[in-house]
């Protein structure tokens, strides 16, 4: 209870003022109690064993948000559980004959296949290169598996393969094995691609995320997801926004050179966007993630498209941006290192890691309020990667 206020004036006036102060204090205590109860309910829900309630797969199971995490934990992790899989990072870290390696795989079903700034080919190479890079590995070799629909134009396939060749050259990797399957007309949507990759881990990351660490994003967010949605032509919106698809291994190397083990963790912000990554960090490390809405770089046309679509840019996928958690001691050096690289010119420090409340992401809004940023529910932008 707060100290009893000192109120001057006549006895009736003092009584009325004291009653008003007591009501305000009671309301404040009730509000604090309700907030605490809400946070406790959220924490219990997060810790509950995930159960897949749906009988059929929906698009939201592939969106990277809450449904995807439930599917992975209730079906795949439950069946395949092992120490290498359990961290559910972008790539598994392996030790083979004394060599430290990272191994990852990803599949690409984007529609349309060609969009401003890229296509399914360079997306497939860059995505796997980025999963290896943010695992702390130097990407080396990739595989490429194609599922083609009967009737798919050979000219389009050659265009996609040419994009993959260029993307591999830019990233400094080789595509060394692959596979091709053709399915009947109407059984696919032209072309799907799976890529897997291995890389060498030469430098360790700096351990667990902890309070005081800084949260950085490497550039404007949401460009890839908005670009693909506008390329479908369903929204009747004109914009010059292009996909940010790009290989991040050079940017990661620059950051690691500058900060070494001061870099705690990195993730590329693909499905589910930045919000999903921040939630994963908060849950895995048992910390609070506190970010500033105004600090996130977002292009005006991306923000405008998101407002028309009714979605938050924090949930929109990127294919050439990453989130880096670094020690607070090296935050300035890390930000300068990112900005020194062409792919990190728009980098920003967007928040800090705190002690409390553990497991939650809190966003300080532009209007001075604070709200919880939860995992993505549903799939507002399907098949964007």
């Amino acid at each position: 209870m707060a100290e009893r206020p000192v109120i001057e004036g006549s006895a009736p006036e003092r009584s009325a003022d004291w009653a008003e102060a007591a009501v305000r204090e009671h309301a404040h205590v009730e509000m604090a109690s309700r907030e605490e109860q809400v946070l406790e309910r959220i924490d219990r829900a997060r810790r509950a064993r995930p159960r897949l309630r749906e009988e059929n797969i929906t698009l939201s199971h592939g969106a990277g948000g809450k449904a995807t995490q439930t599917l992975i934990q209730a079906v795949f992790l439950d069946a395949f559980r092992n120490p290498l899989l359990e961290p559910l990072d972008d790539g598994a870290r392996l030790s083979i004959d004394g060599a430290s390696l990272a191994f990852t795989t990803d599949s690409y079903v984007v529609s349309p296949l060609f969009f401003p700034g890229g296509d399914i080919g360079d997306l497939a190479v860059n995505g796997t290169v980025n999963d290896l890079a943010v695992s702390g590995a130097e990407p080396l070799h990739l595989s490429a598996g194609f599922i083609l629909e009967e009737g798919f134009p050979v000219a389009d396939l050659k265009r996609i393969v040419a994009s993959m060749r260029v993307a591999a050259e830019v990233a400094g990797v080789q595509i060394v094995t692959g596979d091709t399957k053709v399915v009947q007309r109407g059984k696919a949507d032209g072309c799907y691609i799976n890529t897997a990759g291995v890389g060498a881990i030469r430098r360790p990351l700096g351990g667990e995320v902890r309070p005081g660490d800084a949260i950085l994003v490497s550039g404007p967010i949401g460009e890839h997801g908005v670009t693909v949605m506008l390329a479908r032509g369903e929204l009747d919106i004109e914009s010059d926004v292009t996909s940010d698809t790009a290989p991040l291994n050079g940017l990661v190397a620059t950051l690691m050179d500058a900060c070494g083990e001061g870099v705690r963790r990195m993730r590329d912000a693909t499905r589910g966007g930045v919000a999903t990554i921040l939630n994963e960090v908060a849950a895995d490390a048992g910390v609070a993630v506190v970010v500033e809405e105004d600090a996130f770089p977002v292009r005006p046309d991306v923000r405008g498209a998101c407002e028309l679509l009714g979605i938050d840019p924090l949930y929109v996928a990127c294919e050439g941006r990453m989130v880096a958690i670094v020690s607070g001691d090296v935050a300035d050096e890390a930000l300068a290192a990112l900005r020194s690289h062409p792919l990190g010119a728009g980098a920003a420090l967007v928040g800090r890691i705190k002690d409390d409340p553990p497991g939650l992401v809190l966003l300080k809004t532009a209007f001075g309020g604070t709200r919880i940023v939860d995992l993505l529910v549903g799939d507002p932008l399907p098949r964007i990667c």
Side-chain angles (χ1 to χ4, degrees), residues 13-214:
E13 288 173 339
R14 287 200 300 271
S15 177
D17 291 344
W18 167 248
E20 185 180 339
V23 168
R24 286 200 301 269
E25 181 182 345
H26 179 70
H28 176 74
V29 170
E30 272 203 337
M31 182 176 294
S33 176
R34 284 199 297 271
E35 288 178 355
E36 190 172 331
Q37 291 171 9
V38 169
L39 293 176
E40 286 178 358
R41 285 201 298 273
I42 292 172
D43 188 54
R44 284 199 301 274
R46 285 172 176 271
R47 294 178 185 279
R49 182 181 177 85
R51 288 193 302 167
L52 189 63
R53 301 179 187 278
E54 298 86 355
E55 295 185 355
N56 299 292
I57 295 297
T58 68
L59 285 173
S60 64
H61 288 117
K66 190 169 291 186
T68 302
Q69 289 201 358
T70 301
L71 176 69
I72 291 172
Q73 294 181 12
V75 177
F76 301 122
L77 186 58
D78 197 46
F80 304 143
R81 187 179 301 276
N82 63 69
L84 294 176
L85 175 63
E86 207 151 355
L88 296 178
D89 284 334
D90 283 326
R93 294 176 175 81
L94 314 174
S95 180
I96 301 176
D97 293 337
S100 295
L101 303 173
F103 176 45
T104 190
T105 186
D106 209 338
S107 298
Y108 297 86
V109 297
V110 63
S111 176
L113 299 175
F114 304 96
F115 46 84
D119 58 45
I120 191 173
D122 55 39
L123 197 64
V125 171
N126 291 336
T128 293
V129 164
N130 293 345
D131 283 345
L132 292 170
V134 298
S135 297
E138 177 186 343
L140 297 174
H141 302 296
L142 270 57
S143 71
F146 294 85
I147 297 176
L148 305 173
E149 182 181 359
E150 180 186 20
F152 187 67
V154 172
D156 284 352
L157 180 59
K158 286 184 174 180
R159 183 179 169 189
I160 290 168
V161 170
S163 290
M164 296 180 73
R165 176 179 57 78
V166 172
E169 289 175 356
V170 171
V173 300
Q174 292 180 307
I175 298 173
V176 295
T177 187
D179 180 55
T180 305
K181 296 289 188 298
V182 178
V183 299
Q184 293 174 308
R185 192 184 299 269
K187 299 296 184 182
D189 196 5
C191 174
Y192 300 149
I193 300 176
N194 172 273
T195 49
V198 294
I201 300 176
R202 307 195 193 283
R203 293 181 293 190
L205 298 178
E208 295 296 323
V209 172
R210 63 201 70 171
D213 288 350

Side-chain angles (χ1 to χ4, degrees), residues 2-7 17-18 21-22 25:
E3 291 184 2
R4 188 186 180 104
V6 177
I7 303 172
D17 291 344
W18 167 248
E25 181 182 345

